Amino acid sequence: MIKGFIRPPHLRQRLVLTAALSLLLLLFATPASADPPSPLNPFSPTSGAIANLFYLVLAIALMVFVVVEALIIISVLRYRRRAEGGPEPVEVHGHTALELTWTAIPALILAVLFVLTFQALQAAQNPPGDALRVQVVGHQWWWQFNYPDQGVTTANQLVVPVGQPILFSVTSADVIHSFWVPQLGGKIDVIPGQENTYWFEVEEPGDYHGQCAEFCGLGHPFMPIRLTAVTEEEFAVWVMEQLAGSSPPSEDLLAQGKVIVESGVCAVCHTISGTLAQGKKGPDLTWFGRRPFIGGILENNPQNLALWLDDPPAVKEGALMPDYGLSEEDIRALVAYLESLK
Ligand code: CUA
């Protein structure tokens, strides 16, 4: 009685089941969309090489899958038992040509993958000369970033110039972490007492999201890395800003800024009510520090203001305010003064 229930499912049912499972597998294998910080959405030459390698392996695996599955399905259909009491199938032992083929093809595939992987690894390991050096120190549960050549230190936020190789030397202050910015490169272990090196180069300005990728204790999920890639000029301004320190601008610096505004070229075009600056040609700058934008287009912050003052037409094409060739010191004083107007 029970026998009927455990009878193997009919061939058609089996085929339907196989097809449904294959479809499910395909769904899971669908490449990630462009938005998430996925290694398959690369923005550096090294992560590009890794992504290409992944797609090559995927393509080969898919071909192998299709050929093997096709052979299985053909065999099942063609050599199935057709009638009760038919003849026993012939048993075959050894087939030199077939065995050579199925040894040679995988060996060849592995050899090709070995060579290509080795090349990609070499490229990912050795930076082309002239790299910006950054020391990464993992902590429970935050990141310390030192720029030894610039004398700058930050936490959790990395700012790097685009189009220049960044050479990271990576170590930990406590336990093992893993430094990973998926769109820019592979993971690198962050190990106490050891210095690992690693590099990548960012191709486009923008924000890139990274995360500690090695379980390191309670705060592990809260070890994000925010990497901001900026142009070379913006990076220079950023470094200058970091070196200027975070103490509020001194009275001297503010006074110096005010003097430049009132006696220099600024007053010819701009008004700041309550001061000697009463020019009417350019925008009124009273309470400039409260404005959301600079020139109507750039977010108002000290970094962007420094960029603007350095060369306005470079920021906003057609801007009537010319590049006055202001010194770095003048720019610092002007930024301090103008941003204080709030
Ligand atoms: Cu640090 Cu996980």
Side-chain angles (χ1 to χ4, degrees), residues 61-249:
L62 270 178
M63 277 192 296
V64 171
F65 175 81
V66 167
V67 169
V68 170
E69 290 305 304
L71 286 175
I72 289 175
I73 290 172
I74 290 170
S75 307
V76 165
L77 291 176
R78 192 154 162 203
Y79 300 111
R80 71 183 189 274
R81 189 165 128 162
R82 285 159 201 271
E84 261 329 292
E88 288 287 315
V90 193
E91 281 186 35
V92 181
H93 291 277
H95 190 301
T96 313
L98 200 60
E99 281 168 21
L100 277 178
T101 310
W102 75 45
T103 308
I105 292 178
L108 193 73
I109 292 175
L110 287 181
V112 168
L113 286 183
F114 172 77
V115 170
L116 293 176
T117 306
F118 193 73
Q119 283 176 346
L121 275 176
Q122 287 287 312
Q125 221 140 44
N126 305 319
D130 203 25
L132 172 76
R133 297 196 301 150
V134 176
Q135 289 172 344
V136 176
V137 185
H139 293 262
Q140 282 176 317
W141 287 276
W142 59 282
W143 297 99
Q144 180 185 345
F145 301 122
N146 302 324
Y147 298 70
D149 298 324
Q150 283 73 23
V152 168
T153 295
T154 72
N156 298 324
Q157 198 210 10
L158 253 176
V159 176
V160 300
V162 291
Q164 191 187 340
I166 321 290
L167 179 61
F168 296 95
S169 68
V170 178
T171 189
S172 169
D174 36 50
V175 300
I176 299 178
H177 305 268
S178 176
F179 179 80
W180 192 34
V181 185
Q183 289 174 287
L184 302 177
K187 296 170 186 170
I188 183 89
D189 279 338
V190 181
I191 300 170
Q194 183 178 324
E195 197 171 280
N196 287 337
T197 57
Y198 169 76
W199 81 282
F200 56 63
E201 177 181 323
V202 192
E203 286 168 338
E204 279 178 41
D207 291 323
Y208 299 89
H209 189 80
Q211 163 67 33
C212 177
E214 177 87 44
F215 181 68
C216 54
L218 195 62
H220 164 69
F222 310 114
M223 271 187 83
I225 299 156
R226 311 214 178 253
L227 186 147
T228 305
V230 296
T231 62
E232 218 174 303
E233 297 79 44
E234 285 170 325
F235 181 71
V237 171
W238 179 80
V239 168
M240 208 172 78
E241 232 179 53
Q242 300 303 306
L243 294 177
S246 64
S247 54

